[in-house]
Amino acid sequence: TPGPLAVRGELDPAEARRIEITTKEGVATLRGYVLDERERATVYALAKRVVGPGNVEDRLVVLRAGN
């Protein structure tokens, strides 16, 4: 099933399936794979909007570095 970011129309459902978001003590941790730096920046910015700046840990892996 699509994640919350896909349901809200923020990401394509296929993109959202590659990303896992967990929260603990007010900090969101992003895990999974993104296609490029643009997608990573989009996911990170959306997470910051939800949980607030400084509360997002980015553990995403970029498949195509340099973009």
Side-chain angles (χ1 to χ4, degrees):
T1 62
L5 297 177
V7 171
R8 291 178 29 197
E10 305 283 357
L11 285 178
D12 179 273
E15 292 172 339
R17 281 190 198 104
R18 295 190 312 265
I19 300 164
E20 175 187 1
I21 304 169
T22 57
T23 58
K24 182 177 181 182
E25 298 177 9
V27 176
T29 301
L30 308 174
R31 290 184 180 88
Y33 297 91
V34 291
L35 296 180
D36 53 34
E37 289 294 336
R38 179 206 56 81
E39 190 173 284
R40 174 188 237 158
T42 299
V43 171
Y44 187 80
L46 292 169
K48 278 192 339 185
R49 265 194 357 222
V50 173
V51 297
N55 296 325
V56 180
E57 186 175 333
D58 180 357
R59 293 190 180 177
L60 296 169
V61 175
V62 178
L63 296 177
R64 286 184 265 173
N67 291 342

